[in-house]
Amino acid sequence: MEKTKILIIEDEAAIADLLEYGLNKEGYLTKKAQTGAEGWNILETFKPDLLLLDWMLPDESGLDICKKVTAAYNMPIVMITAKSDITDKILGLEFGADDYITKPFDLREVVARIRTILRRIAQANRTSMESKEELIRIKDIAISTAERMVQKNDEWIDLTPKEYDLLMMLYQYRGRIFTRTELLDTVWGYDYAGDTRTVDTHIQRLRKKLGCSDLITTVFSIGYKFEK
């Protein structure tokens, strides 16, 4: 079986080496880079399944890299940084990160979070393959569940893995009202350390990318629902 590939972009050699050691020990295939430029070159040839990305790099902001990766690839991104303020966390998530880990960290937590993200994506892929409804059409939007891709007016929409999972969760139970906590627990997982504002941020991005605010509606003081 082909190993899961993880790219580590981290300029602190000791931290990068620790991550590399721990992930290799868990059976992952890793490569590491110390700058954004080096990481981008490796990413294009290595084609990782997941990106571990430091916020502060010597040549480029991790946020800028996160934004570029999200626009070009459909891969989960875990930000690792010394910034612990909730505003910084929300900013990272807005730029496309799927999770956020602050330094100093326990290597076991990093491994656990990576496993959770990859397991959730694998489960979503299996669900898509088993789904009888391989192509879903909603107005001018088409969703290919087999490819986890979304089109609007025959043009591809760049959704992050979390945005896609959130969209499909709401669509699958269209008409049902979900609280922010329910969506956070279901899409991000019970062990996710973020708060419910993460859900609001992703909903806003989804509406903007889909170009139709009437599909996913806000239920005042409760949460969200996908209209039937």
Side-chain angles (χ1 to χ4, degrees):
M1 181 180 293
E2 187 175 345
K3 289 186 176 182
T4 298
K5 296 183 289 185
I6 298 176
L7 173 59
I8 304 163
I9 304 181
E10 166 63 63
D11 65 327
E12 295 186 51
I15 294 178
D17 290 343
L18 174 65
L19 291 168
E20 181 183 48
Y21 170 78
L23 293 173
N24 287 346
K25 189 176 179 182
E26 293 295 324
Y28 298 112
L29 180 62
T30 62
K31 286 195 175 183
K32 57 185 179 180
Q34 290 187 305
T35 66
E38 181 187 5
W40 189 259
N41 289 333
I42 294 175
L43 187 146
E44 291 183 318
T45 55
F46 186 48
K47 299 189 183 305
D49 299 294
L50 183 140
L51 174 61
L52 274 177
L53 178 62
D54 185 23
W55 183 304
M56 302 179 70
L57 296 168
D59 62 335
E60 189 174 3
S61 166
L63 287 179
D64 291 334
I65 296 174
C66 185
K67 188 175 181 180
K68 290 194 299 184
V69 171
T70 300
Y73 297 95
N74 183 23
M75 75 173 67
I77 301 172
V78 178
M79 297 286 292
I80 297 183
T81 175
K83 294 178 176 287
S84 58
D85 187 82
I86 186 63
T87 303
D88 294 321
K89 291 184 178 182
I90 292 173
L91 187 61
L93 294 168
E94 286 179 342
F95 273 68
D98 292 271
D99 206 346
Y100 194 109
I101 297 174
T102 55
K103 302 175 183 176
F105 55 79
D106 189 313
L107 184 58
R108 293 171 296 179
E109 179 187 3
V110 177
V111 172
R113 286 177 180 266
I114 288 173
R115 281 178 177 167
T116 298
I117 291 172
L118 294 174
R119 184 169 60 245
R120 192 175 299 118
I121 291 175
Q123 179 59 46
N125 287 336
R126 284 195 297 270
T127 302
S128 295
M129 291 178 64
E130 294 166 359
S131 174
K132 296 179 181 179
E133 204 171 13
E134 290 190 354
L135 186 63
I136 300 169
R137 293 194 179 276
I138 314 159
K139 297 185 177 181
D140 55 357
I141 296 170
I143 304 172
S144 171
T145 58
E147 299 176 298
R148 290 174 57 86
M149 299 289 287
V150 179
Q151 285 184 327
K152 181 179 176 65
N153 295 323
D154 298 323
E155 292 186 3
W156 294 112
I157 301 174
D158 293 318
L159 297 185
T160 67
K162 279 290 181 294
E163 289 169 352
Y164 178 86
D165 291 342
L166 182 59
L167 172 63
M168 293 308 297
M169 180 66 189
L170 290 167
Y171 172 79
Q172 185 179 0
Y173 296 97
R174 47 198 178 278
R176 172 183 165 181
I177 300 172
F178 283 92
T179 66
R180 291 169 174 81
T181 300
E182 286 175 330
L183 290 172
L184 197 67
D185 289 344
T186 305
V187 177
W188 278 263
Y190 291 98
D191 55 351
Y192 181 69
D195 63 19
T196 55
R197 281 179 290 184
T198 299
V199 176
D200 296 332
T201 298
H202 280 70
I203 290 290
Q204 291 170 13
R205 288 213 311 259
L206 258 180
R207 286 171 172 165
K208 184 177 180 180
K209 290 182 178 182
L210 295 176
C212 46
S213 58
D214 59 333
L215 286 180
I216 303 173
T217 58
T218 302
V219 181
F220 182 70
S221 77
I222 300 178
Y224 299 98
K225 71 173 180 177
F226 198 103
E227 294 294 340
K228 288 187 177 180

